[in-house]
């Protein structure tokens, strides 16, 4: 799969669809954007609009000639959308990428097979950080080669970073990569509340908490160390950091996170 020869049509211009379209437009492919209502399309800035090959409310026009279609709509809208573009799917036989959380590869194959006898299907699950080009994308596929799946990952790396994960592990991975954003935000909120009680302004407390998260992510990426090794590097005997960590653990910090992730992974 050569991105330079690709025409990619993104179907849906909501938060995720818009972010995916913007990210893909930074690559070598021609990116088209479709949305059934014009209001979403009007949200693109003028320079962003120039980066796209097409912005349209006409589905047939958007899909015609596409090498890949990327479905970025709610789960219950995926099947009707596939049926609506059936003729174009049969004509072009594009790779079909679904960014919807619910439909499995098997479900997608069932919906696409009436139009393409041997469909090439990819599930890509980004998270909301795609709006900042910092998404963690989960990728699995059916009907394409490992090399083609890696090429899809490279395309979507423009929105963040992509990981090939077996579909059976998607619930567990989503609980960390997608639901995990809410978990981290709850930590930020709790740290803010503590900071306010200690005399900080809410805004400063938020900036400090967000900054510590960004710094921690950078350290994990740069060093490759286990998190506990980094914890050891910032705690000293009798120090304030270990006192705070032990107090949080006494109140169930780690066990609460583990239980929350496992609950979010239930199918």
């Amino acid at each position: 799969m050569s991105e330079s020869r690709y025409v990619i049509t993104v179907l849906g211009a909501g938060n995720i669809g818009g972010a995916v379209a913007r990210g893909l437009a930074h690559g070598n492919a021609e990116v088209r954007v479709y949305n059934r209502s014009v209001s979403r399309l009007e949200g693109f800035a003028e320079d962003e609009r120039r980066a796209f090959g097409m912005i349209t409310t006409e589905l047939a026009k958007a899909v015609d000639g596409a090498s890949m279609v990327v479905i970025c709509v709610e789960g219950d809208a995926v099947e009707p959308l596939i049926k609506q573009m059936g003729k174009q799917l049969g004509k072009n036989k594009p790779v079909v990428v679904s960014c919807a959380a619910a439909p499995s590869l098997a479900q997608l194959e069932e919906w696409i097979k009436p139009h393409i006898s041997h469909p090439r299907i990819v599930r890509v699950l980004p998270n909301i950080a795609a709006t900042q080009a910092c998404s963690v994308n989960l990728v699995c596929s059916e009907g394409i080669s490992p090399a083609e799946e890696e090429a899809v990952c490279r395309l979507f790396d423009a929105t963040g970073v992509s990981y090939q994960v077996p579909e059976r592990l998607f619930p567990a991975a989503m609980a960390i990569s997608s639901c995990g954003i809410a978990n981290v935000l709850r930590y930020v909120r709790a740290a803010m509340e503590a900071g306010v009680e200690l005399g900080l302004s809410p805004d400063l407390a938020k900036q400090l908490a967000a900054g510590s998260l960004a710094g921690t992510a950078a350290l994990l990426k740069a060093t490759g160390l286990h998190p506990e090794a980094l914890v050891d590097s910032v705690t000293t005997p009798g120090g304030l950091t270990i006192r705070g960590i032990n107090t949080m653990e006494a109140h169930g910090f780690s066990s609460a996170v583990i239980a929350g992730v496992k609950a979010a992974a239930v199918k």
Side-chain angles (χ1 to χ4, degrees):
M1 182 185 297
S2 172
E3 294 95 328
S4 62
R5 295 199 305 269
Y6 253 55
V7 175
I8 304 175
T9 296
V10 178
L11 306 175
N15 286 337
I16 295 297
V20 167
R22 290 180 178 96
L24 294 177
H26 290 127
N28 295 323
E30 176 190 335
V31 178
R32 302 172 182 174
V33 185
Y34 158 83
N35 201 77
R36 64 181 182 180
S37 63
V38 71
S39 58
R40 290 280 193 184
L41 300 177
E42 290 173 342
F44 291 111
E46 188 59 36
D47 59 331
E48 292 173 333
R49 299 173 73 88
R50 287 195 296 268
F52 299 136
M54 181 189 301
I55 300 178
T56 182
T57 57
E58 299 179 43
L59 181 59
K61 184 178 178 180
V63 176
D64 187 41
S67 305
M68 175 186 289
V69 294
V70 182
I71 301 172
C72 297
V73 298
E74 296 294 333
D76 58 0
V78 175
E79 183 180 11
L81 185 60
I82 289 173
K83 288 181 177 178
Q84 191 178 352
M85 61 178 171
K87 183 177 180 180
Q88 283 74 31
L89 290 179
K91 177 183 176 183
N92 303 337
K93 297 179 174 56
V95 174
V96 178
V97 178
S98 171
C99 293
S104 65
L105 288 172
Q107 287 174 312
L108 292 165
E109 183 178 27
E110 179 184 342
W111 298 336
I112 296 168
K113 263 199 167 181
H115 314 292
I116 305 175
S117 57
H118 300 288
R120 295 173 294 159
I121 308 166
V122 185
R123 288 184 68 191
V124 177
L125 294 187
N127 62 33
I128 196 171
T131 58
Q132 303 301 314
C134 292
S135 178
V136 176
N137 305 316
L138 312 178
V139 181
C140 69
S141 66
E142 182 68 41
I144 66 174
S145 69
E148 287 177 315
E149 185 173 291
E150 289 176 7
V152 172
C153 288
R154 289 197 300 273
L155 283 169
F156 277 84
D157 280 348
T159 67
V161 60
S162 303
Y163 296 95
Q164 294 165 284
V165 179
E167 187 175 37
R168 63 182 176 81
L169 294 178
F170 263 34
M174 286 174 59
I176 298 173
S177 67
S178 297
C179 305
I181 288 182
N183 301 340
V184 173
L185 289 172
R186 279 297 177 89
Y187 163 77
V188 171
R189 188 186 76 173
M192 287 174 61
E193 291 175 347
V196 170
E197 185 175 339
L198 292 169
L200 299 175
S201 70
D203 185 65
L204 178 58
K206 180 180 72 174
Q207 297 302 327
L208 293 175
S212 70
L213 292 177
T216 301
L219 283 169
L220 285 169
K221 183 176 181 180
T223 65
L225 292 172
H226 189 283
E228 203 60 33
L230 288 173
V231 169
D232 289 343
S233 73
V234 296
T235 55
T236 56
L240 299 176
T241 301
I242 192 63
R243 188 181 305 174
I245 287 175
N246 286 343
T247 300
M248 286 192 289
E249 291 295 349
H251 286 79
F253 180 79
S254 289
S255 60
V257 172
I258 292 168
V261 170
K262 291 170 69 176
V266 173
K267 296 180 181 179

